[in-house]
Amino acid sequence: MVVLANPALDAIPLLRSPKAGAYFSSVPVVDLSKPGAAEAIVSACEEFGFFKVAGHGIPMELMQRLEVEALRFFHSPQAEKEKAGVANPFGYGNKRIGPNGDVGWVEYLLFAVTADPSAYTFMDYSFRSALMEYLQGVRKLAREVLELMADGLKLKQRDALSNLVLGDQSDGLIRLNHYPKFPLLEKLNCSLTGFGEHTDPQLISILRSNNTTGLQISLSDGSWVSVPPDNESFFINVGDTLQVLTNGRFKSVRHRVLANGSKSRASMIYFFGPAPTEKIAPLGEVMGEGEASKYREFTWSEYKKAAYKTKLGDYRLGQFEK
Protein backbone atom coordinates (compact mmCIF):
# COMPACT_ATOMS: atom_id res chain seq x y z
CA MET A 1 0.00 0.00 0.00
CA VAL A 2 1.29 3.46 -0.88
CA VAL A 3 1.14 5.99 1.92
CA LEU A 4 2.47 9.51 1.79
CA ALA A 5 3.01 10.54 5.38
CA ASN A 6 0.97 13.57 6.49
CA PRO A 7 -0.03 14.52 2.95
CA ALA A 8 -1.23 18.04 3.89
CA LEU A 9 -2.59 18.55 0.40
CA ASP A 10 -3.28 22.20 1.02
CA ALA A 11 0.50 22.73 1.15
CA ILE A 12 1.09 21.23 -2.30
CA PRO A 13 0.43 23.70 -5.15
CA LEU A 14 -2.42 22.89 -7.53
CA LEU A 15 -2.06 23.53 -11.26
CA ARG A 16 -4.59 23.31 -14.07
CA SER A 17 -4.31 20.00 -15.87
CA PRO A 18 -3.19 20.19 -19.50
CA LYS A 19 -5.76 19.20 -22.11
CA ALA A 20 -5.79 15.49 -22.86
CA GLY A 21 -3.38 14.72 -25.68
CA ALA A 22 -2.02 18.29 -25.76
CA TYR A 23 1.63 17.35 -26.10
CA PHE A 24 4.57 19.36 -27.35
CA SER A 25 5.19 18.07 -30.84
CA SER A 26 8.64 19.61 -31.28
CA VAL A 27 10.63 17.65 -28.70
CA PRO A 28 13.98 17.00 -30.46
CA VAL A 29 14.69 13.32 -31.07
CA VAL A 30 18.30 12.21 -31.51
CA ASP A 31 18.79 8.73 -32.94
CA LEU A 32 22.26 7.66 -31.86
CA SER A 33 22.35 4.94 -34.51
CA LYS A 34 22.13 7.41 -37.38
CA PRO A 35 24.55 9.98 -38.87
CA GLY A 36 24.23 13.58 -37.74
CA ALA A 37 23.66 12.76 -34.06
CA ALA A 38 26.43 15.10 -32.85
CA GLU A 39 25.01 18.11 -34.67
CA ALA A 40 21.47 17.23 -33.57
CA ILE A 41 22.54 17.10 -29.91
CA VAL A 42 24.17 20.53 -30.08
CA SER A 43 21.14 22.04 -31.81
CA ALA A 44 18.75 20.60 -29.21
CA CYS A 45 20.91 21.79 -26.31
CA GLU A 46 21.07 25.30 -27.72
CA GLU A 47 17.34 25.61 -28.41
CA PHE A 48 15.72 23.62 -25.60
CA GLY A 49 18.37 22.22 -23.25
CA PHE A 50 16.45 18.98 -23.63
CA PHE A 51 16.13 16.10 -26.08
CA LYS A 52 14.98 12.52 -26.41
CA VAL A 53 17.42 9.73 -27.24
CA ALA A 54 16.43 6.85 -29.51
CA GLY A 55 18.67 4.13 -30.95
CA HIS A 56 20.47 3.89 -27.60
CA GLY A 57 20.90 0.11 -27.63
CA ILE A 58 19.84 -0.45 -24.01
CA PRO A 59 17.48 -3.45 -23.87
CA MET A 60 13.89 -2.74 -22.89
CA GLU A 61 14.05 -5.65 -20.47
CA LEU A 62 16.83 -3.95 -18.51
CA MET A 63 14.87 -0.69 -18.37
CA GLN A 64 11.65 -2.35 -17.24
CA ARG A 65 13.35 -4.53 -14.66
CA LEU A 66 14.39 -1.55 -12.53
CA GLU A 67 10.93 -0.01 -12.92
CA VAL A 68 9.32 -3.21 -11.61
CA GLU A 69 11.70 -3.38 -8.65
CA ALA A 70 11.23 0.30 -7.80
CA LEU A 71 7.43 0.01 -7.85
CA ARG A 72 7.61 -3.12 -5.71
CA PHE A 73 9.60 -1.08 -3.19
CA PHE A 74 7.22 1.88 -3.28
CA HIS A 75 4.19 -0.38 -2.80
CA SER A 76 5.72 -2.11 0.20
CA PRO A 77 4.66 -1.26 3.78
CA GLN A 78 5.78 2.14 5.02
CA ALA A 79 7.99 0.59 7.69
CA GLU A 80 9.88 -1.35 5.02
CA LYS A 81 10.46 1.76 2.93
CA GLU A 82 11.76 3.68 5.91
CA LYS A 83 14.52 1.12 6.35
CA ALA A 84 16.28 3.03 3.56
CA GLY A 85 16.69 5.87 6.04
CA VAL A 86 15.09 9.30 6.04
CA ALA A 87 16.31 11.36 3.07
CA ASN A 88 18.91 13.79 4.44
CA PRO A 89 19.63 14.16 1.59
CA PHE A 90 20.04 10.43 0.82
CA GLY A 91 17.45 7.80 1.64
CA TYR A 92 13.67 7.56 1.37
CA GLY A 93 11.53 10.67 1.31
CA ASN A 94 7.91 11.53 0.72
CA LYS A 95 6.23 14.84 0.02
CA ARG A 96 9.10 16.93 1.37
CA ILE A 97 11.74 17.67 -1.27
CA GLY A 98 14.95 18.97 0.23
CA PRO A 99 15.39 20.99 3.45
CA ASN A 100 13.95 24.34 2.33
CA GLY A 101 10.19 23.85 2.36
CA ASP A 102 9.52 22.43 -1.12
CA VAL A 103 6.77 19.82 -1.23
CA GLY A 104 5.18 17.66 -3.92
CA TRP A 105 2.93 14.65 -4.43
CA VAL A 106 5.88 12.29 -4.66
CA GLU A 107 7.82 9.66 -2.76
CA TYR A 108 11.37 8.90 -3.72
CA LEU A 109 14.69 7.20 -3.14
CA LEU A 110 17.82 9.32 -3.56
CA PHE A 111 21.34 8.04 -3.13
CA ALA A 112 24.89 8.44 -4.40
CA VAL A 113 26.00 6.26 -7.29
CA THR A 114 28.70 3.80 -6.30
CA ALA A 115 30.18 0.67 -7.80
CA ASP A 116 30.00 -1.01 -4.39
CA PRO A 117 26.68 -2.87 -4.11
CA SER A 118 27.05 -3.11 -0.32
CA ALA A 119 26.16 0.59 -0.21
CA TYR A 120 22.55 -0.36 -1.02
CA THR A 121 22.02 -2.65 1.95
CA PHE A 122 18.33 -1.76 2.31
CA MET A 123 17.64 -3.37 -1.09
CA ASP A 124 17.15 -7.07 -1.57
CA TYR A 125 19.28 -8.89 -4.16
CA SER A 126 16.75 -8.55 -6.98
CA PHE A 127 16.40 -4.78 -6.54
CA ARG A 128 20.14 -4.24 -6.09
CA SER A 129 21.16 -6.26 -9.14
CA ALA A 130 18.54 -4.51 -11.32
CA LEU A 131 19.87 -1.14 -10.17
CA MET A 132 23.53 -1.99 -10.77
CA GLU A 133 22.82 -3.31 -14.25
CA TYR A 134 20.75 -0.23 -15.08
CA LEU A 135 23.43 2.16 -13.85
CA GLN A 136 26.05 0.41 -15.95
CA GLY A 137 23.93 0.74 -19.09
CA VAL A 138 23.12 4.40 -18.49
CA ARG A 139 26.77 5.26 -17.82
CA LYS A 140 27.65 3.86 -21.25
CA LEU A 141 24.86 5.95 -22.74
CA ALA A 142 26.13 9.06 -20.98
CA ARG A 143 29.61 8.52 -22.37
CA GLU A 144 28.28 8.17 -25.90
CA VAL A 145 26.06 11.25 -25.61
CA LEU A 146 28.79 13.42 -24.06
CA GLU A 147 31.39 12.35 -26.62
CA LEU A 148 28.99 13.12 -29.46
CA MET A 149 28.32 16.45 -27.77
CA ALA A 150 32.06 17.15 -27.69
CA ASP A 151 32.23 16.29 -31.40
CA GLY A 152 29.39 18.69 -32.13
CA LEU A 153 31.13 21.43 -30.15
CA LYS A 154 34.36 20.63 -32.00
CA LEU A 155 36.36 20.09 -28.82
CA LYS A 156 39.88 18.78 -29.44
CA GLN A 157 39.52 16.21 -26.67
CA ARG A 158 36.54 13.97 -27.41
CA ASP A 159 36.30 12.78 -23.81
CA ALA A 160 36.62 16.27 -22.28
CA LEU A 161 33.03 16.25 -21.03
CA SER A 162 32.62 12.55 -20.28
CA ASN A 163 35.81 12.48 -18.19
CA LEU A 164 34.34 15.17 -15.95
CA VAL A 165 31.47 12.96 -14.81
CA LEU A 166 32.61 9.37 -15.31
CA GLY A 167 35.81 9.32 -13.27
CA ASP A 168 36.29 7.50 -9.97
CA GLN A 169 35.69 10.70 -7.97
CA SER A 170 32.69 11.89 -9.98
CA ASP A 171 29.60 12.87 -8.03
CA GLY A 172 26.74 10.86 -9.53
CA LEU A 173 23.27 10.58 -8.01
CA ILE A 174 20.35 8.29 -8.77
CA ARG A 175 16.77 9.26 -7.93
CA LEU A 176 13.80 6.91 -8.18
CA ASN A 177 10.50 8.81 -8.08
CA HIS A 178 6.95 7.56 -7.59
CA TYR A 179 3.91 9.80 -8.05
CA PRO A 180 0.94 7.85 -6.62
CA LYS A 181 -2.61 7.88 -7.94
CA PHE A 182 -5.02 10.47 -6.54
CA PRO A 183 -8.34 9.95 -8.39
CA LEU A 184 -10.11 12.96 -6.83
CA LEU A 185 -7.98 15.24 -8.99
CA GLU A 186 -9.61 13.96 -12.19
CA LYS A 187 -12.98 15.37 -11.12
CA LEU A 188 -11.43 18.72 -10.29
CA ASN A 189 -9.64 19.07 -13.66
CA CYS A 190 -6.45 19.98 -11.89
CA SER A 191 -3.11 18.44 -11.02
CA LEU A 192 -1.01 18.44 -7.90
CA THR A 193 2.57 19.57 -8.20
CA GLY A 194 4.50 16.33 -8.19
CA PHE A 195 7.96 17.88 -8.43
CA GLY A 196 8.12 21.67 -8.64
CA GLU A 197 9.85 23.62 -11.38
CA HIS A 198 13.64 23.59 -11.23
CA THR A 199 16.84 23.12 -13.16
CA ASP A 200 19.33 20.34 -12.44
CA PRO A 201 22.71 21.47 -11.04
CA GLN A 202 24.81 18.78 -12.77
CA LEU A 203 26.16 18.55 -16.36
CA ILE A 204 23.40 16.31 -17.66
CA SER A 205 20.60 14.18 -16.28
CA ILE A 206 19.33 11.05 -18.01
CA LEU A 207 15.69 10.26 -17.30
CA ARG A 208 13.53 7.29 -18.09
CA SER A 209 9.90 6.89 -16.96
CA ASN A 210 6.97 4.54 -17.35
CA ASN A 211 4.46 5.34 -20.07
CA THR A 212 2.71 8.03 -18.01
CA THR A 213 2.23 11.76 -18.54
CA GLY A 214 3.42 14.45 -16.17
CA LEU A 215 6.78 15.79 -17.36
CA GLN A 216 6.77 19.39 -18.58
CA ILE A 217 9.54 21.67 -19.80
CA SER A 218 9.66 25.45 -20.02
CA LEU A 219 10.37 27.02 -23.41
CA SER A 220 12.46 30.14 -23.97
CA ASP A 221 9.35 32.33 -23.78
CA GLY A 222 8.51 30.97 -20.33
CA SER A 223 5.56 28.84 -21.46
CA TRP A 224 5.13 25.28 -20.21
CA VAL A 225 4.60 22.32 -22.54
CA SER A 226 3.87 18.67 -21.82
CA VAL A 227 6.36 16.07 -23.02
CA PRO A 228 4.79 12.99 -24.65
CA PRO A 229 5.58 9.90 -22.56
CA ASP A 230 7.85 7.29 -24.11
CA ASN A 231 9.01 4.41 -21.96
CA GLU A 232 11.33 3.05 -24.66
CA SER A 233 13.53 6.16 -24.85
CA PHE A 234 15.63 8.29 -22.55
CA PHE A 235 15.33 12.03 -22.03
CA ILE A 236 18.40 14.20 -21.51
CA ASN A 237 18.37 17.43 -19.49
CA VAL A 238 21.11 20.04 -19.79
CA GLY A 239 22.11 21.06 -16.26
CA ASP A 240 23.48 24.27 -14.76
CA THR A 241 27.09 23.10 -14.92
CA LEU A 242 26.92 22.41 -18.64
CA GLN A 243 25.37 25.83 -19.19
CA VAL A 244 28.42 27.34 -17.49
CA LEU A 245 30.91 25.18 -19.41
CA THR A 246 29.38 26.37 -22.70
CA ASN A 247 29.21 29.99 -21.45
CA GLY A 248 25.43 30.00 -21.81
CA ARG A 249 25.38 28.50 -25.30
CA PHE A 250 23.53 25.46 -23.93
CA LYS A 251 20.50 26.18 -21.76
CA SER A 252 19.83 24.47 -18.46
CA VAL A 253 16.24 23.37 -18.95
CA ARG A 254 13.60 24.34 -16.39
CA HIS A 255 11.24 21.43 -15.88
CA ARG A 256 8.58 20.07 -13.51
CA VAL A 257 6.26 17.10 -13.01
CA LEU A 258 2.47 17.26 -12.58
CA ALA A 259 0.60 14.48 -10.79
CA ASN A 260 -2.89 14.21 -12.27
CA GLY A 261 -3.89 11.26 -10.12
CA SER A 262 -5.34 9.02 -12.82
CA LYS A 263 -2.27 6.81 -13.13
CA SER A 264 0.82 6.46 -11.01
CA ARG A 265 4.07 7.67 -12.55
CA ALA A 266 7.49 6.15 -11.95
CA SER A 267 10.75 7.68 -13.12
CA MET A 268 14.47 7.04 -12.79
CA ILE A 269 16.95 9.90 -13.11
CA TYR A 270 20.73 9.57 -13.14
CA PHE A 271 22.42 12.92 -12.41
CA PHE A 272 25.98 13.19 -13.75
CA GLY A 273 28.06 15.56 -11.64
CA PRO A 274 31.83 16.17 -11.58
CA ALA A 275 34.25 15.49 -8.73
CA PRO A 276 33.80 17.84 -5.74
CA THR A 277 37.13 19.58 -6.34
CA GLU A 278 36.60 20.01 -10.09
CA LYS A 279 36.84 23.64 -11.18
CA ILE A 280 33.95 24.80 -13.34
CA ALA A 281 34.34 27.67 -15.81
CA PRO A 282 33.48 28.30 -19.49
CA LEU A 283 35.61 26.27 -21.90
CA GLY A 284 37.78 28.45 -24.07
CA GLU A 285 37.16 26.20 -27.08
CA VAL A 286 33.43 26.96 -27.15
CA MET A 287 33.81 30.71 -26.84
CA GLY A 288 34.08 32.98 -29.85
CA GLU A 289 36.98 35.36 -30.43
CA GLY A 290 36.76 38.17 -27.90
CA GLU A 291 33.83 36.56 -26.08
CA ALA A 292 33.92 37.29 -22.36
CA SER A 293 33.19 34.69 -19.70
CA LYS A 294 29.73 35.14 -18.19
CA TYR A 295 30.57 33.18 -15.02
CA ARG A 296 33.26 33.22 -12.38
CA GLU A 297 35.15 30.02 -11.72
CA PHE A 298 33.87 27.80 -8.91
CA THR A 299 34.26 24.21 -7.75
CA TRP A 300 31.48 21.67 -8.02
CA SER A 301 31.49 21.35 -4.23
CA GLU A 302 30.98 25.10 -3.89
CA TYR A 303 28.10 25.08 -6.33
CA LYS A 304 26.39 22.07 -4.78
CA LYS A 305 26.53 23.61 -1.32
CA ALA A 306 24.95 26.78 -2.68
CA ALA A 307 22.26 24.76 -4.47
CA TYR A 308 21.29 22.91 -1.28
CA LYS A 309 20.58 26.26 0.39
CA THR A 310 18.04 27.31 -2.25
CA LYS A 311 14.45 26.41 -3.00
CA LEU A 312 13.73 24.32 -6.08
CA GLY A 313 12.61 27.18 -8.30
CA ASP A 314 15.41 29.60 -7.43
CA TYR A 315 17.87 30.73 -10.10
CA ARG A 316 21.05 29.26 -8.67
CA LEU A 317 23.50 30.52 -11.26
CA GLY A 318 22.84 34.18 -10.45
CA GLN A 319 25.40 34.36 -7.64
CA PHE A 320 28.06 32.87 -9.94
CA GLU A 321 27.55 35.27 -12.83
CA LYS A 322 30.04 38.04 -13.44
Side-chain angles (χ1 to χ4, degrees):
M1 179 179 179
V2 176
V3 177
L4 293 190
N6 302 316
L9 295 181
D10 58 341
I12 300 176
L14 280 170
L15 297 167
R16 184 176 296 278
S17 294
K19 294 180 181 179
Y23 297 124
F24 184 53
S25 60
S26 299
V27 173
V29 180
V30 178
D31 190 330
L32 300 182
S33 66
K34 295 181 178 179
E39 293 75 17
I41 287 172
V42 169
S43 176
C45 290
E46 290 177 337
E47 185 172 3
F48 298 106
F50 177 85
F51 58 96
K52 182 168 77 172
V53 170
H56 48 73
I58 297 179
M60 187 67 176
E61 180 182 358
L62 185 154
M63 297 157 69
Q64 289 179 323
R65 185 180 169 210
L66 181 57
E67 177 187 326
V68 168
E69 292 296 334
L71 286 174
R72 181 169 64 87
F73 171 85
F74 287 124
H75 284 89
S76 63
Q78 192 69 18
E80 289 298 312
K81 292 187 283 191
E82 291 175 356
K83 289 180 180 178
V86 177
N88 186 33
F90 301 136
Y92 169 78
N94 65 54
K95 196 187 66 134
R96 293 174 179 82
I97 304 168
N100 302 310
D102 291 294
V103 293
W105 187 248
V106 62
E107 58 177 345
Y108 63 90
L109 280 171
L110 176 67
F111 35 88
V113 171
T114 172
D116 181 5
S118 67
Y120 311 123
T121 54
F122 66 91
M123 298 179 179
D124 61 24
Y125 175 79
S126 180
F127 194 177
R128 188 165 57 246
S129 62
L131 174 68
M132 300 303 286
E133 188 177 5
Y134 180 85
L135 293 178
Q136 184 178 24
V138 176
R139 284 176 65 85
K140 290 180 180 177
L141 174 59
R143 182 176 298 279
E144 183 174 6
V145 167
L146 289 170
E147 290 185 354
L148 284 168
M149 189 181 289
D151 290 343
L153 288 169
K154 298 186 170 43
L155 301 184
K156 293 178 182 177
Q157 191 177 336
R158 193 168 191 256
D159 57 5
L161 298 176
S162 60
N163 281 348
L164 284 175
V165 297
L166 293 172
D168 292 339
Q169 302 302 314
S170 299
D171 185 21
L173 300 177
I174 180 74
R175 176 187 282 274
L176 306 178
N177 288 330
H178 178 228
Y179 305 90
K181 292 181 181 180
F182 194 77
L184 177 63
L185 292 173
E186 292 183 272
K187 301 176 182 178
L188 300 176
N189 191 33
C190 62
S191 299
L192 280 168
T193 297
F195 213 104
E197 63 177 273
H198 64 286
T199 59
D200 295 336
Q202 293 82 2
L203 263 77
I204 62 169
S205 309
I206 298 184
L207 176 148
R208 189 257 170 188
S209 67
N210 63 348
N211 206 28
T212 306
T213 61
L215 178 63
Q216 294 190 324
I217 62 169
S218 179
L219 303 181
S220 58
D221 62 2
S223 62
W224 288 95
V225 293
S226 296
V227 176
D230 182 349
N231 65 342
E232 297 182 0
S233 302
F234 291 90
F235 294 93
I236 310 289
N237 295 336
V238 169
D240 297 344
T241 303
L242 187 54
Q243 178 171 318
V244 172
L245 290 172
T246 60
N247 206 34
R249 181 174 168 184
F250 288 1
K251 308 301 179 185
S252 183
V253 63
R254 186 163 288 269
H255 54 289
R256 66 187 183 189
V257 175
L258 305 186
N260 63 25
S262 61
K263 184 179 178 183
S264 65
R265 174 181 168 87
S267 62
M268 299 138 241
I269 311 100
Y270 191 147
F271 302 93
F272 288 86
T277 57
E278 187 70 47
K279 294 180 179 179
I280 309 298
L283 300 171
E285 289 181 80
V286 305
M287 297 168 64
E289 186 176 350
E291 181 180 348
S293 171
K294 297 177 181 178
Y295 307 93
R296 67 174 177 85
E297 184 180 85
F298 54 88
T299 65
W300 169 240
S301 178
E302 182 183 0
Y303 190 64
K304 193 166 75 164
K305 287 178 182 176
Y308 275 130
K309 294 178 182 178
T310 64
K311 293 180 70 67
L312 275 178
D314 289 346
Y315 179 58
R316 304 185 185 100
L317 283 174
Q319 61 185 296
F320 297 92
E321 292 176 339
K322 287 186 174 180

